Structures are given as structure tokens and as C-alpha cells.
Amino acid sequence: MKNLNRVHLGSLRAVEAVGRLGSLKGAAAELGVTPGAISQQIRKAEEQLGLILFERRPKGLTLTSMGESILVPLNHGFSELSSAVHHATQKQNNTLTLSVAPVFAGKWLVWRLQDFNRKHPDIRIRVEATNFLTTPGHDDIDACIRVGTGPWPDVKAAKLVDHRIFPVCSPAFASVLQSPSDLSRVPIIRDQGEMFSWNNWLEPNGLDDTLLKEGPSFSDGSLCLDAAIAGQGVFLAWETLASDALKARQIIAPFPGRYPTGFAYWLITAGHEKPAQMLQDLEHWLREELGKLG
């Protein structure tokens, strides 16, 4: 291992993170430093190795052929290091670190964790709320809950429940929404980061999105829901986002019908590890709770 003396471990870690995540910003968020610091570490690694690992382009960094050739062994090496640190620092082996999207965490998960804690008092859940697609096995992440089509390589992906959507609005809007075609009469709240289209809901009702008016838009689904609660228009919501607001009568679903987007919720764990009993308990609980959405 003497050749490791030629390059700083931190520089190699920056190379691996950028190569895996595809951006300086993503690597900086994962490693807890600035994008500028990541860029400096990459330059240091290239100088110490005497190689060009990334091409600098206007849209960001792209791996060279040499960079691609070392990325897989770097992935494997840092995954092994992460696993070693994880096993060395586990608190009585009773902590599960779960990576989830912030909207899912804030609008659904945290309100139900008390039930999990009551049913499994011997398991401690630590939630990492992030939009970056962290891979289990990296940075002490034991499992992820993600929305997608699946499956994915090198991980185990257990489908939990289909992702379904439906319009929601404040009770004040209900009087002008007698049928789906009445959506043409109201402002439409749009989520700039949505993965689906209004047509997923409109087409089963014999309509399309050309009838929709303009309205406020936001970069986050929870802000869109808040705008609907505030009476700013109609929002195409999904079940984990809107279920509690519906129960509290902050919003209503003016029409019947919840339609799938083609996506689903998945519990993702490391592909090379046999699921521990704690992960099985978590999966069973998630299925039970998400099953109540319908």
C-alpha cells in the first residue's frame, strides 16, 4: 500500500464523490465542504498522480477515460472503508440511518416515527433528509426511500407502494369545481421539480393539460401544498404529501380518482448485504403505514 503515499486520501475521496454523483455541488454536499474545496482536491489528486481525471467543460466536469478506469476501484475501496467505519462506530448495532427526500420526511415520515419507535423500542432511526441519491453503504447510510421506476443495479430495491396523484385545493375552491373540466376556471399551482404530468390525472378523465390556466409555481412540493392550503389555486398532489392535510381538512380532494404516475416508493438497501432483522422490521412497518394511504 506504499503507493497510497503518493496522493492524499481526501483528494481521492473528492475524485470518487464527483465521479459517482456527477457534480461538484453534489460531492460538496455529501462531503460537507464547498464546491471550490472539492475542485481544489481534484486538482491536487491530478497533480500528485500526474494524470488528467476530468475534462473541464462549461456545464461541469466530465470523467476522462483514465478517470473512468479508476472510478470503479475507488467506489469499491471507499465503500469498504465506509463499511469498516460504520461497523466500528455503530452504537450497540441498533441504529438504522435512513436517507429520504426532505418533502417525504417532513410531510409524512416524521409524523409516524413515534409509532415505529413504540413498536420497535430497540431500534433507533436516524433520518438523513436529502435530495441527493446517496447509495446505501456510503456515508453510513443503511437504507434509502426513493421514488422511481426501479430496479437499480448493485442495490436491493423492494417496492413499497405505487405513487398516486390527485388534485387538491382549499375548501373555498370547492364551489367552482363541480367536474374535472372546471379546472379550466381556476389557477393551477405547479411544482417546478415534478416528475409527472397533469395528464397522468387528466387523461383518465377524458381531458388534457391544454385546458389548464397559469398559476403560481414553486421549487418544492411542500410549498405548493402550502399554497393550495392558502387558497392560491389547485395543486396536483400525491398521497404521502397531502394525506395529513386532507385529514385535518386544510385541503380537500374535489374529485374522485387517484391515478398512478408510473413511479413507486422503494426501500433501497445495499446489494451485497443480507437484510438484517432491523431492515426487515422497517420494511414491514413502511408497507403497513403506506398501505393506509388508499
Side-chain angles (χ1 to χ4, degrees):
M1 296 187 182
K2 289 184 179 180
N3 57 1
L4 287 178
N5 296 333
R6 296 174 54 191
V7 58
H8 292 142
L9 190 63
S11 297
L12 288 176
R13 193 179 180 206
V15 170
E16 188 276 337
V18 173
R20 171 167 47 85
L21 297 172
S23 73
L24 289 172
K25 183 179 179 182
E30 181 173 286
L31 300 182
V33 296
T34 65
I38 294 292
S39 182
Q40 291 177 11
Q41 290 287 355
I42 289 174
R43 287 194 178 92
K44 185 181 294 184
E46 291 178 326
E47 291 171 0
Q48 292 171 336
L49 291 171
L51 301 169
I52 301 299
L53 303 176
F54 291 91
E55 294 180 7
R56 276 72 176 172
R57 296 181 176 179
K59 293 185 178 180
L61 300 182
T62 302
L63 282 165
T64 63
S65 57
M66 178 56 69
E68 290 179 348
S69 70
I70 70 170
L71 182 60
V72 171
L74 280 179
N75 286 156
H76 179 74
F78 279 106
S79 179
E80 291 297 314
L81 285 172
S82 179
S83 295
V85 172
H86 178 62
H87 289 303
T89 57
Q90 274 187 316
K91 300 176 180 63
Q92 292 80 48
N93 202 33
N94 70 336
T95 300
L96 281 178
T97 301
L98 185 61
S99 174
V100 300
V103 171
F104 181 85
K107 292 297 185 181
W108 190 85
L109 181 62
V110 297
W111 301 99
R112 290 160 176 80
L113 277 179
Q114 186 174 4
D115 178 72
F116 180 86
N117 295 334
R118 180 180 58 81
K119 293 177 178 177
H120 302 282
D122 55 328
I123 302 175
R124 178 173 175 262
I125 298 292
R126 185 169 73 89
V127 176
E128 289 279 346
T130 176
N131 284 319
F132 291 107
L133 301 181
T134 303
T135 301
H138 287 275
D139 296 317
D140 299 337
I141 300 299
D142 296 300
C144 306
I145 299 174
R146 292 288 181 256
V147 175
T149 56
W152 295 272
D154 303 322
V155 295
K156 293 181 179 178
K159 182 178 175 179
L160 299 173
V161 70
D162 286 327
H163 183 268
R164 301 192 302 175
I165 52 174
F166 53 98
V168 299
C169 63
S170 67
F173 267 91
S175 60
V176 297
L177 295 173
Q178 302 302 313
S179 70
S181 61
D182 290 332
L183 288 168
S184 63
R185 303 169 57 193
V186 297
I188 299 299
I189 301 167
R190 289 176 172 83
D191 179 1
Q192 297 167 6
E194 67 185 7
M195 302 181 295
F196 49 84
S197 165
W198 261 94
N199 283 332
N200 288 103
W201 191 89
L202 290 168
E203 287 179 354
N205 287 283
L207 303 168
D208 63 62
D209 60 8
T210 58
L211 68 85
L212 299 179
K213 294 178 61 176
E214 294 299 318
S217 65
F218 301 90
S219 62
D220 180 87
S222 63
L223 296 177
C224 293
L225 182 68
D226 289 341
I229 293 171
Q232 296 180 24
V234 179
F235 173 49
L236 189 64
W238 53 98
E239 291 172 313
T240 57
L241 174 67
S243 60
D244 289 344
L246 284 169
K247 290 177 182 177
R249 299 292 297 173
Q250 294 176 300
I251 52 172
I252 63 169
F255 312 116
R258 299 183 180 188
Y259 298 107
T261 62
F263 298 105
Y265 292 91
W266 301 78
L267 180 66
I268 302 171
T269 55
H272 62 277
E273 295 181 359
K274 184 177 180 180
Q277 184 61 50
M278 291 191 298
L279 287 172
Q280 293 176 0
D281 291 340
L282 175 64
E283 180 180 342
H284 176 79
W285 178 79
L286 286 168
R287 289 186 185 279
E288 187 177 71
E289 290 300 309
L290 287 167
K292 298 175 183 178
L293 292 173

